Amino acid sequence: MMSKKWLMIVLGAVLLLSACGNGGKSEGQSPAPSSASPSQQAAGGESGEGGDVSGTVNVLTQALEPTKMLEKFAAEHPNIKVNWETIGGGKISEVIKTRLAAGGENVDLITPLRPDYLQLAKTGQLVDLSDLPYLDNYNPAVIEGGKVDGKLYALSMSMNFYVTWYNKTMFDKHNLKEPTNWEEFLAVSEALKQAGEVPIVIGSKDYGENNHFSTIPYGSLLSDDPTWVQKVGRGEAKWTDSESIAAMEKYKQLADKGYFIEGALGIGKDQAYQIFYQGKAAMISQQVGVIEFLAANTPDFEVGAFAPPGNEPGQELRLPFSGGHTLALYNGSKNKEASKVFLEFISQTENAQLMTTEINLPSSVKGVQYDFHPIAQVLMPLLSMPTSDLMHAVVLPQTKNVLATAFQRIISKDKKTIEELAKEVQAMTDKELASQQ
């Protein structure tokens, strides 16, 4: 079993993975495109001896402090001080709003949650980072996912993606292979059920777990239209669309066939993880944060991971993804150039590797190895896959609970039809969209 110290570190990584946001620039403000890096430029009032940029960079984030990486930065940039402030307990949104409402003093780099990030970007409170010269250092999905109206508004330092973790030892016992589409997923689930195994454990008691799992039944829709959920959030698509109804029917199919663990509605997230790592269920579909539990409890079987196979045969299999640990530059910052020097530093593979290894961060910088635990290694082959929306990360905030309730009713075999449930979800989305006008 892993040490308590290791577990606390990984818990911090999971907190940072839950931060899904990005940042931008205001109207009329020009970025500073240059062949020279920020560390080679001197901005008025921020240059130190020898023309090196100086200042204090205040980082407000959910991530644990990467001490070793910051020590390396301090050695290479002695004129720049970094104040790293970790905000836990799900309070990052509240703290950022409070600091900005008070005038934004000592606010430079921030990690806004996605709804806050969109608002900040659209209201010109963030700096446009589209012309930074080192964007090719990142996984392309991170860059595309960070854009608002075609502009990049933050650098996402981690890969927050959704996989199906599975008991490879159990699969081998029953001569099963990783499914690569919906039909194969159903066949594997049926074979496990017939062999007396529990195919899928889901902590359906917790709202979020239902939305997490929905990425599989929505896989076909997202294969054809990877940003469909974002379109719903803009009023360009609806939960009542025929493709969405078909996805909910797939959710129902899994429940009706008995592939979910019995009593799923009474099982929470933590209990679901325990059931999986004790070898009592073959699969659990979750974000990469499940490493936290697997590593801390060391299953006595081989753990594997595959991309959620909700696509139909012949459709492209995509990895549901969203950026995590985003760093956006506040437009009112008095340390813009120093902040850009820091952003450049953490975008280099060597430095991103230090951060990954120290705080168990699944980095989005190319070339970084997930060496913080052997189980994390199984994720590496998935990083080159095409991506789609990570469902729960982009569903509108108030809609999330209504959507989760709909999935709970499907699992409970509620008498309401799929069409009726979809209308309830869409009604909440319509209400949220109306409130934004």
Side-chain angles (χ1 to χ4, degrees):
M1 182 172 292
M2 306 301 295
S3 68
K4 291 184 178 180
K5 179 180 179 181
W6 195 98
L7 177 57
M8 291 302 295
I9 291 175
V10 186
L11 280 170
V14 174
L15 280 177
L16 82 89
L17 282 171
S18 65
C20 299
N22 293 280
K25 87 169 188 181
S26 65
E27 284 286 335
Q29 180 193 1
S30 298
S34 172
S35 58
S37 67
S39 60
Q40 296 170 322
Q41 302 173 28
E46 289 191 24
S47 60
E49 294 182 4
D52 192 19
V53 176
S54 65
T56 298
V57 179
N58 298 284
V59 181
L60 193 60
T61 180
Q62 287 179 310
L64 291 178
E65 183 174 354
T67 305
K68 294 180 181 178
M69 188 193 74
L70 294 180
E71 289 175 352
K72 185 173 184 287
F73 178 81
E76 295 182 13
H77 300 279
N79 293 327
I80 300 177
K81 180 181 180 182
V82 177
N83 290 329
W84 186 286
E85 186 176 356
T86 299
I87 306 297
K91 296 181 179 179
I92 187 69
S93 179
E94 176 186 346
V95 170
I96 289 176
K97 290 177 181 178
T98 300
R99 301 278 178 91
L100 295 185
E105 187 70 21
N106 297 324
V107 175
D108 301 306
L109 294 174
I110 58 176
T111 298
L113 301 183
R114 186 172 181 85
D116 300 329
Y117 140 69
L118 293 172
Q119 181 181 16
L120 291 170
K122 289 180 177 295
T123 55
Q125 297 187 65
L126 304 173
V127 174
D128 185 359
L129 304 177
S130 301
D131 292 324
L132 294 180
Y134 43 84
L135 299 183
D136 285 344
N137 292 9
Y138 288 87
N139 184 298
V142 166
I143 301 302
E144 289 304 311
K147 291 181 179 179
V148 177
D149 298 330
K151 296 180 180 180
L152 179 67
Y153 288 117
L155 296 179
S156 182
M157 300 311 298
S158 70
M159 296 282 285
N160 183 16
F161 49 98
Y162 183 98
V163 300
T164 299
W165 299 94
Y166 73 103
N167 184 329
K168 190 174 186 302
T169 303
M170 186 184 295
F171 268 50
D172 290 344
K173 175 184 176 182
H174 299 297
N175 298 312
L176 300 174
K177 296 181 179 180
E178 295 181 3
T180 61
N181 58 53
W182 177 250
E183 287 187 3
E184 292 178 0
F185 183 62
L186 290 179
V188 164
S189 298
E190 181 63 26
L192 288 165
K193 180 182 176 182
Q194 293 299 323
E197 310 284 8
V198 174
I200 305 164
V201 60
I202 178 174
S204 188
K205 180 180 179 180
D206 291 342
Y207 270 12
E209 299 305 287
N210 301 279
N211 292 341
H212 290 163
F213 187 86
S214 64
T215 300
I216 295 182
Y218 271 86
S220 177
L221 190 163
L222 294 174
S223 177
D224 285 340
D225 191 350
T227 62
W228 180 83
V229 188
Q230 295 184 46
K231 291 179 180 178
V232 174
R234 296 193 298 265
E236 300 167 7
K238 294 181 179 295
W239 295 105
T240 51
D241 290 348
S242 59
E243 298 87 352
S244 177
I245 296 296
M248 287 189 171
E249 289 286 359
K250 286 183 175 180
Y251 213 119
K252 184 176 185 297
Q253 186 177 7
L254 295 175
D256 289 347
K257 287 182 174 293
Y259 295 155
F260 291 128
I261 189 171
E262 186 177 352
L265 291 171
I267 296 173
K269 177 179 66 176
D270 292 358
Q271 188 179 355
Y273 293 160
Q274 291 175 16
I275 290 169
F276 177 72
Y277 64 64
Q278 290 172 359
K280 298 178 181 179
M283 296 177 284
I284 182 170
S285 286
Q286 247 294 347
Q287 298 178 79
V288 293
V290 87
I291 296 172
E292 162 200 354
F293 290 86
L294 301 180
N297 294 277
T298 315
D300 59 2
F301 55 84
E302 184 177 358
V303 176
F306 53 82
N311 54 307
E312 295 295 337
Q315 281 187 310
E316 188 169 38
L317 177 61
R318 293 179 175 273
L319 185 69
F321 158 88
S322 71
H325 183 209
T326 55
L327 287 181
L329 178 54
Y330 174 51
N331 201 27
S333 166
K334 298 178 181 179
N335 297 284
K336 288 188 178 70
E337 294 304 321
S339 296
K340 288 181 180 179
V341 171
F342 183 68
L343 288 176
E344 179 186 28
F345 177 85
I346 62 179
S347 300
Q348 307 307 312
T349 301
E350 177 184 358
N351 303 323
Q353 184 69 64
L354 276 176
M355 189 173 184
T356 287
T357 303
E358 183 176 5
I359 66 172
N360 309 301
L361 174 75
S363 179
S364 58
V365 176
K366 293 177 181 176
V368 174
Q369 298 297 308
Y370 295 0
D371 60 356
F372 49 86
H373 192 274
I375 291 177
Q377 301 284 326
V378 303
L379 301 173
M380 296 298 297
L382 305 178
L383 299 183
S384 60
M385 292 184 63
T387 61
S388 65
D389 278 339
L390 180 59
M391 288 282 289
H392 83 282
V394 290
V395 174
L396 292 177
Q398 295 178 45
T399 299
K400 286 184 178 181
N401 286 349
V402 181
L403 182 64
T405 299
F407 292 136
Q408 286 179 324
R409 288 179 174 176
I410 289 174
I411 292 176
S412 70
K413 302 181 181 180
D414 189 277
K415 293 182 179 180
K416 283 197 173 183
T417 66
I418 294 297
E419 289 77 8
E420 290 173 328
L421 293 174
K423 287 180 181 179
E424 291 181 358
V425 179
Q426 185 59 44
M428 176 53 73
T429 295
D430 290 341
K431 182 178 179 179
E432 287 195 83
L433 291 173
S435 69
Q436 297 174 6
Q437 297 177 355

